[in-house]
Amino acid sequence: MSKNRIIVIGGGYAGLRIVEKLAKNSQNKIILFDKNPYHFMQTDVYDLIANEEDFAQVTVDLFTFCSGFDDNVTFLKQEVGSVDFKNKKVITSLQRHEYDYLVIAVGSRTKFISSVKGLDTYAHGVKALHKAMFFKQKFEMSLFTKVQESGTSCTPINIVVAGAGLSGVEIAAQMASFSRDFYRKNNFICRKLNIVLINSREHVLPGLHKKLFDKTEKRLKKLGVIIKNQTKVSEVKQESVTLSSTEVLSMDFIIFAGGIEPNALVYKLHLDKNETGYISTNRYLQTQNYANVFAIGDCTTIYNKDKIVAPTADTAEQMAELCAKNIDNLINSKPLIEHNIKSRGILVALGRGYAVAKLFGFYFSGYPAYIIKKLVEKIYAKRLDTRSKKGCKKIFCD
């Protein structure tokens, strides 16, 4: 019996989940492509920056992960340059790979708004691991410099976070919480850290329930974060940020969390896309152009009852699970399943020992919500780690 040649592009939340599901069928021959040799757990990036976790705890090696299956999964560290949909071939700089079924799961990236002068030059994004690590190092060195100044001038560290969605509020809260505990624990005299959160909307966490954003704003203010609602960044210079209100803020760092856009590969693919550039898919998660090509995760936009489903790790994994079922149904000539994907909950980390959450209609805040978030993260990491350990033993023992 011939194998089902399946290619998955992207080793993010959606990509890894669909590999796990498809690998259960020994007749599936799966190739996973990613330009990086690791899976980056972006939901933990804020803990990484605030020294809650280290590099090893927020990454999974894709070579060992894929080796942990029964010899029907291969990982190739190659960047996909294009896809020949007519001839069913994925093209990299090294070779061409034929497929029967293709899953595009390349995710998204930080969108630096071109109309804001200096933004792409001086602002940091944290969706990519190397950028998160770069900012982490600069943040730590700034704290060290302030310690060196103790007893002398002690100038403040000024950090601007532009964007008050999930990413913006979590990183602002984590940095504020970490620095507060850092100064207190070591009894340093110099404790000046100014974090300003710039929000273009009326309140933080737009689109979420009032209970969540009220608790979040209260927590941020308690941590000393300054929130400027209904304000935008209009220009960024090396040491300052100008706001739409004409106010000028001194700045050591600016993190931009004000928007995302599709991964660069999406722009190169000859597929139908929506008005914001994301791949258009049908109710079965197939692309509009090809029945054997699927798009899942942050590179596409899905709707539930005419409302956009938030692009979270939970949503990505739900899409991956349904996509795997539909590929199996295509292989076996069975009817496809329409998606009914919706957010099962939201967990927002707001510093050490505190979070807000909505899970299955119930609201939590404080330490209980923090424990739930940590538990969800640890269960996810443990699942991948178990697979990687199996692959590691196979590589070094075979």
Side-chain angles (χ1 to χ4, degrees):
M1 180 182 290
S2 62
K3 298 282 188 176
N4 307 307
R5 299 170 300 179
I6 304 172
I7 288 180
V8 178
I9 307 174
Y13 290 96
L16 264 58
R17 189 58 172 163
I18 196 167
V19 167
E20 287 179 311
K21 291 296 183 179
L22 291 171
K24 293 179 179 180
N25 183 350
S26 60
Q27 294 304 308
N28 291 339
K29 182 182 179 181
I30 305 158
I31 300 177
L32 173 66
F33 282 98
D34 199 289
K35 66 180 181 180
N36 297 311
Y38 53 78
H39 164 65
F40 174 36
M41 290 178 272
Q42 290 184 9
T43 55
D44 294 354
V45 66
Y46 319 106
D47 284 343
L48 173 71
I49 290 172
N51 284 302
E52 293 284 333
E53 295 181 343
D54 60 33
F55 172 84
Q57 291 173 292
V58 299
T59 57
V60 174
D61 184 87
L62 292 177
F63 287 102
T64 55
F65 174 80
C66 290
S67 296
F69 296 95
D70 296 329
D71 300 321
N72 63 335
V73 179
T74 301
F75 170 65
L76 294 179
K77 182 181 175 292
Q78 296 178 24
E79 185 170 8
V80 174
S82 61
V83 178
D84 181 350
F85 295 105
K86 182 179 179 180
N87 295 301
K88 301 180 183 179
K89 292 181 180 180
V90 167
I91 303 166
T92 73
S93 59
L94 299 177
Q95 57 195 128
R96 294 168 177 252
H97 300 265
E98 295 183 346
Y99 65 84
D100 299 308
Y101 303 94
L102 174 64
V103 181
I104 303 167
V106 292
S108 60
R109 61 184 181 181
T110 302
K111 181 179 181 180
F112 291 99
I113 302 170
S114 59
S115 61
V116 179
K117 187 178 179 181
L119 185 67
D120 59 347
T121 303
Y122 300 111
H124 301 275
V126 293
K127 283 186 71 65
L129 178 58
H130 69 284
K131 292 183 178 180
M133 290 293 292
F134 176 74
F135 178 77
K136 169 186 168 69
Q137 291 166 0
K138 292 194 71 173
F139 178 50
E140 288 177 345
M141 284 305 300
S142 293
L143 290 175
F144 176 72
T145 300
K146 298 311 167 190
V147 171
Q148 292 280 75
E149 291 179 356
S150 289
T152 56
S153 59
C154 189
T155 56
I157 304 174
N158 298 301
I159 300 175
V160 175
V161 180
L166 282 173
S167 297
V169 296
E170 285 196 327
I171 200 165
Q174 289 292 75
M175 285 192 299
S177 177
F178 167 74
S179 59
R180 182 183 65 175
D181 292 349
F182 171 81
Y183 291 134
R184 182 184 298 161
K185 180 180 178 181
N186 294 283
N187 299 309
F188 290 127
I189 295 173
C190 186
R191 302 187 177 198
K192 294 182 179 180
L193 177 72
N194 299 325
I195 299 177
V196 181
L197 182 63
I198 308 300
N199 177 32
S200 63
R201 306 292 187 87
E202 186 177 351
H203 52 75
V204 302
L205 301 177
L208 299 187
H209 194 276
K210 188 176 186 299
K211 289 182 180 179
L212 292 178
F213 67 70
D214 278 350
K215 288 278 188 181
T216 298
E217 289 197 354
K218 185 177 179 180
R219 169 65 174 175
L220 289 170
K221 290 175 181 177
K222 185 176 181 180
L223 288 170
V225 176
I226 300 168
I227 305 172
K228 292 185 178 292
N229 291 325
Q230 296 182 303
T231 306
K232 295 181 180 180
V233 172
S234 61
E235 184 178 359
V236 183
K237 295 181 180 179
Q238 188 170 358
E239 296 181 349
S240 67
V241 174
T242 302
L243 305 181
S244 55
S245 61
T246 70
E247 181 180 3
V248 179
L249 305 174
S250 296
M251 177 271 293
D252 291 285
F253 311 111
I254 176 171
I255 296 176
F256 187 68
I260 58 174
E261 63 180 354
N263 183 284
L265 175 63
V266 172
Y267 293 100
K268 301 177 184 178
L269 300 178
H270 297 295
L271 295 171
D272 287 349
K273 303 178 183 87
N274 62 22
E275 64 278 2
T276 53
Y278 293 86
I279 298 172
S280 295
T281 52
N282 61 20
R283 295 289 295 177
Y284 311 109
L285 305 181
Q286 296 165 301
T287 61
Q288 301 288 355
N289 311 81
Y290 304 96
N292 65 331
V293 179
F294 294 76
I296 58 176
D298 292 4
C299 64
T300 186
T301 303
I302 59 171
Y303 296 81
N304 189 303
K305 296 180 180 178
D306 298 324
K307 290 186 177 180
I308 293 177
V309 180
T312 63
D314 170 53
T315 300
E317 291 208 317
Q318 289 184 65
M319 295 170 75
E321 291 167 6
L322 177 64
C323 184
K325 290 178 183 177
N326 278 336
I327 289 176
D328 184 63
N329 286 353
L330 276 179
I331 291 170
N332 295 291
S333 300
K334 294 181 179 179
L336 300 187
I337 304 168
E338 291 190 3
H339 87 76
N340 186 31
I341 294 169
K342 54 188 175 182
S343 175
R344 293 180 289 200
I346 191 77
L347 291 158
V348 187
L350 295 171
R352 294 178 169 182
Y354 194 99
V356 296
K358 179 186 178 184
L359 292 173
F360 304 105
F362 295 95
Y363 293 89
F364 306 86
S365 64
Y367 192 67
Y370 175 80
I371 292 299
I372 292 171
K373 181 171 176 62
K374 286 299 175 186
L375 182 62
V376 169
E377 291 172 352
K378 287 186 181 298
I379 289 172
Y380 176 79
K382 180 66 176 178
R383 190 182 85 220
L384 300 188
D385 185 58
T386 299
R387 182 72 63 183
S388 289
K389 284 181 177 178
K390 182 179 178 181
C392 192
K393 289 179 180 179
K394 184 189 294 185
I395 291 171
F396 291 106
C397 295
D398 285 356

